[in-house]
Amino acid sequence: MSEAKMKEAAKEKLKESSDPLEKLRNFCLSEGYCGLLRLGKVFRVMDKDRSWTLSKEELSNGVAKFGLDFSEADINKLFSAFEKDGQSGINYEEFLEALRPSMNEPRKKAVEAVFKHLDKTGDGIVSVEDLKGVYSAKKHPKVVKGEATEEELLKKFLNMFESNSSMDGKVTKQEFLDYYSSLSKNLDDDEYFVSVVNMSWGL
């Protein structure tokens, strides 16, 4: 299944979904491989005090900003499913984890191995500097012609794993997993998925 077909299938499921978590998951998938990334960015921007939690009001505002019109009952159901002690709000990383299409252990290990390979500094972020240690774009036609710098091309490459609302040329492990979890949904065979991931990165 291509990304376009996945988006169409998710749009159809969205019409049939009654559970708010399922609605949100299908809405993310209907946005393509980067849908979940975009929602994660929305939540992280709202988390101004870096507490990794969202209040019910912040959750409601975040979902609305993402483009979904949820009823108060939908928000209450979502919030109560993840809120633990009645006062601290919900941990949105756990929330995003629940939304993410599941990858089994072999697939997740393959993606994590690639990220570790790319993260040369071991700081949990893949940057342009990390990529320079793995790839060289010096012979790219645009670089040779002086139309672009190597750094610009590598940053553009990293942008593929980020949401359109926040492209800083830095990809976290979570963003990397979010991207591949959507891709994983389109590939039924584990061995094929792992080979696609490894071949894409020359492993």
Side-chain angles (χ1 to χ4, degrees):
M1 187 193 298
S2 66
E3 182 179 21
K5 287 184 178 179
M6 177 191 77
K7 289 163 76 171
E8 286 305 312
K11 285 176 184 176
E12 287 303 311
K13 286 184 180 178
L14 182 60
K15 295 175 186 175
E16 303 165 4
S17 302
S18 57
D19 179 74
L21 188 67
E22 192 63 27
K23 282 185 194 175
L24 194 50
R25 180 183 291 115
N26 283 315
F27 190 77
C28 286
L29 291 173
S30 73
E31 296 278 292
Y33 295 150
C34 293
L36 191 57
L37 291 176
R38 193 162 73 80
L39 181 61
K41 293 287 186 184
V42 169
F43 286 162
R44 289 176 191 114
V45 167
M46 299 189 76
D47 180 25
K48 298 188 187 300
D49 62 356
R50 306 308 294 160
S51 64
W52 302 98
T53 59
L54 295 174
S55 66
K56 188 186 293 185
E57 183 181 4
E58 287 172 327
L59 174 64
S60 179
N61 290 339
V63 169
K65 189 173 182 181
F66 189 53
L68 267 177
D69 183 21
F70 269 9
S71 66
E72 187 177 348
D74 282 338
I75 293 297
N76 287 338
K77 186 174 181 180
L78 270 180
F79 192 78
S80 61
F82 291 91
E83 210 267 350
K84 289 187 167 64
D85 58 13
Q87 18 182 332
S88 61
I90 64 171
N91 181 300
Y92 59 81
E93 291 295 348
E94 291 179 5
F95 182 65
L96 292 169
E97 176 69 31
L99 275 176
R100 187 178 300 115
S102 61
M103 277 195 291
N104 60 27
E105 205 55 33
R107 295 184 182 215
K108 191 173 180 181
K109 280 184 177 179
V111 175
E112 289 178 335
V114 168
F115 188 85
K116 186 177 180 180
H117 171 68
L118 296 175
D119 182 17
K120 295 299 181 185
T121 54
D123 61 358
I125 292 172
V126 172
S127 65
V128 169
E129 288 306 311
D130 287 318
L131 274 190
K132 282 181 179 177
V134 182
Y135 295 110
S136 173
K138 290 177 182 176
K139 294 183 180 179
H140 190 283
K142 287 192 174 182
V143 176
V144 173
K145 292 178 182 177
E147 296 174 357
T149 66
E150 183 181 17
E151 187 160 318
E152 285 171 344
L153 290 181
L154 291 176
K155 188 172 182 179
K156 188 176 181 180
F157 179 67
L158 285 177
N159 288 162
M160 182 173 68
F161 300 94
E162 302 182 276
S163 80
N164 292 330
S165 61
S166 178
M167 292 187 171
D168 56 7
K170 295 178 181 178
V171 177
T172 65
K173 185 178 180 180
Q174 205 64 63
E175 288 173 331
F176 206 66
L177 286 168
D178 285 345
Y179 178 87
Y180 275 107
S181 67
S182 295
L183 177 62
S184 175
K185 188 175 176 65
N186 291 326
L187 300 175
D188 295 328
D189 185 85
D190 289 346
E191 191 174 329
Y192 180 63
F193 173 83
V194 171
S195 69
V196 166
V197 172
N198 289 338
M199 286 172 63
S200 297
W201 298 98
L203 294 181

